[in-house]
Amino acid sequence: VEVRWREAIDGYGVVNAAAVKLMLAAAMERLGGAGTPWQEWATPSARISIKVNTVTCQAFTHPEVAGAVADGLVKAGATPSAVTVWDRDSPTLIARGYSIDASGESAFRCIGSNMSDLTTAKNITVAGHAVKLSPLVEGSDVIVNIAALKDHSMAGVTLSLKNNFGMLISSLDLHGNVVAGSGCEPGISDLAARPEIRDRLGLAMIDGLLGVCQGGPGPVDPAYVFRYAGLLVSRDPVALDRRGLAI
């Protein structure tokens, strides 16, 4: 499902939170039908994690988008302290306008994976490499993956499947030969197939308010940043990423 509305973000990158909530509500109704579409996951006992992408770039998961998802889940019955917005590092979350809240007293939890007990990180093998899974993954019953809409110099694009890399303590070994600029396969597909992630994925999303078409995943020339003013939502991350690639 794809919803676009120019009112969601202006030419200066200022997000209209009310418009984003309306867009998300429309997308979820189309995806799940009338009623409260979040109820499938939003039970009082469910531990729900919302994985965002706050890597330094003009295209990222905006706090207004993650907040709208968290708000929808809480209103549908999830416990605020059991809804966690997170990324790998708390400093990047703060730099992107997120407010760190480890308790959920504000409305939901928001933390960096670096704030969790990393000694409990699970060791897994991905594409032949030994890596550690963030404890926040194992501490979740359901994952909502909200990716950014951007180009990636090694992976081609960094959408919902590539956003899984941020669920690891470090994903450097999965980026191939960084100096040579080789790709990120089979790391992307292998990690997405891991049951720890695959079996928890409830929803995949792309924050398409802003996009980057060349030079990512880091900061790019403003000429490569475009205003798309869209949200993309799917239960199928491969289908979602195919649409993101087309954009």
Side-chain angles (χ1 to χ4, degrees):
V1 174
E2 180 176 343
V3 177
R4 297 180 68 189
W5 188 14
R6 290 186 63 83
E7 293 296 324
I9 187 167
D10 67 17
Y12 298 98
V14 177
V15 178
N16 181 335
V20 167
K21 285 188 175 183
L22 290 173
M23 291 169 66
L24 181 62
M28 292 304 295
E29 183 173 342
R30 292 182 194 176
L31 188 72
T36 309
W38 296 109
Q39 284 182 335
E40 179 180 345
W41 309 289
T43 63
S45 61
R47 300 169 301 170
I48 307 171
S49 76
I50 302 170
K51 169 63 175 68
V52 298
N53 186 320
T54 55
V55 173
T56 303
C57 182
Q58 291 94 325
F60 60 97
T61 310
H62 292 82
E64 294 84 356
V65 174
V69 172
D71 182 65
L73 288 164
V74 171
K75 285 182 177 177
T79 302
S81 60
V83 176
T84 304
V85 173
W86 67 284
D87 203 356
R88 181 179 288 147
D89 300 308
S90 52
T92 59
L93 283 163
I94 294 169
R96 290 304 181 200
Y98 289 83
S99 297
I100 299 299
D101 181 354
S103 66
E105 292 182 357
S106 60
F108 52 86
R109 296 176 72 223
C110 180
I111 61 175
S113 183
N114 62 304
M115 297 171 62
S116 61
D117 183 0
L118 299 184
T119 63
T120 65
K122 182 178 182 179
N123 294 301
I124 61 174
T125 300
V126 177
H129 296 280
V131 293
K132 291 181 178 292
L133 194 65
S134 169
L136 296 178
V137 174
E138 290 279 276
S140 304
D141 299 310
V142 179
I143 295 174
V144 178
N145 182 339
I146 313 179
L149 181 63
K150 60 180 176 179
D151 161 82
H152 191 286
S153 59
M154 297 178 68
V157 289
T158 176
L159 303 171
S160 67
L161 295 174
K162 175 63 173 59
N163 198 36
N164 290 335
F165 277 25
M167 299 186 195
L168 302 175
I169 303 304
S170 174
S171 60
L172 185 61
D173 288 341
L174 303 185
H175 283 80
N177 187 323
V178 176
V179 176
S182 60
C184 298
E185 281 294 341
I188 292 176
S189 54
D190 202 13
L191 181 59
R194 289 287 312 191
E196 296 90 348
I197 293 175
R198 181 195 63 209
D199 295 348
R200 288 179 168 89
L201 182 64
L203 197 65
M205 297 178 58
I206 295 175
D207 176 340
L209 298 183
L210 293 176
V212 165
C213 61
Q214 185 172 325
V220 303
D221 186 312
Y224 300 134
V225 180
F226 61 98
R227 176 185 171 201
Y228 193 70
L231 293 179
L232 292 80
V233 182
S234 180
R235 295 176 184 271
D236 183 342
V238 176
L240 182 75
D241 284 8
R242 178 63 185 85
R243 174 55 187 156
L245 175 62
I247 293 171

